[in-house]
Amino acid sequence: MANTPQAKKRIRRNDRRAEINGARVSRIRTFIKQLETALASGDKDQARAAMQKVQPELARGVAKGVVHKNTAARKLSRLTKRVAALG
């Protein structure tokens, strides 16, 4: 258990940040799942539209520090290849 005021504050802050960051990661996963669904259905236009939503979300995740830069680049690269393969 935290004894100092600063340690108590850090616990409160960490809890708040964990909630916010968890929501950010969840949002990114949701957009990726929408893209996966569009890819599975084979709908090229829907996949491109979903890709337009995934790119800024991943970039925002990198900027906020919830996703590593290389992880985002890898995911984006693989998803872009799959969208391009549709048509």
Side-chain angles (χ1 to χ4, degrees):
M1 183 62 201
N3 290 321
T4 65
Q6 181 59 32
K8 291 176 184 175
K9 180 178 178 180
R10 292 292 292 204
I11 289 172
R12 290 195 310 268
R13 190 193 63 104
N14 289 345
D15 289 343
R16 274 199 309 270
R17 296 313 307 170
E19 192 175 331
I20 292 167
N21 289 341
R24 281 199 179 108
V25 172
S26 176
R27 184 174 163 88
I28 291 168
R29 285 189 188 133
T30 300
F31 280 111
I32 290 174
K33 280 182 186 170
Q34 288 173 357
L35 177 55
E36 295 279 351
T37 304
L39 287 167
S41 71
D43 189 351
K44 184 172 29 172
D45 293 331
Q46 190 179 1
R48 284 199 178 130
M51 190 67 186
Q52 291 295 318
K53 291 180 180 178
V54 169
Q55 285 176 331
E57 279 302 319
L58 269 173
R60 198 170 296 123
V62 170
K64 297 294 185 179
V66 295
V67 180
H68 192 275
K69 177 178 65 170
N70 292 348
T71 303
R74 183 183 67 243
K75 287 182 184 293
L76 207 54
S77 173
R78 289 177 181 174
L79 289 170
T80 303
K81 262 199 264 186
R82 289 176 63 192
V83 170
L86 280 180

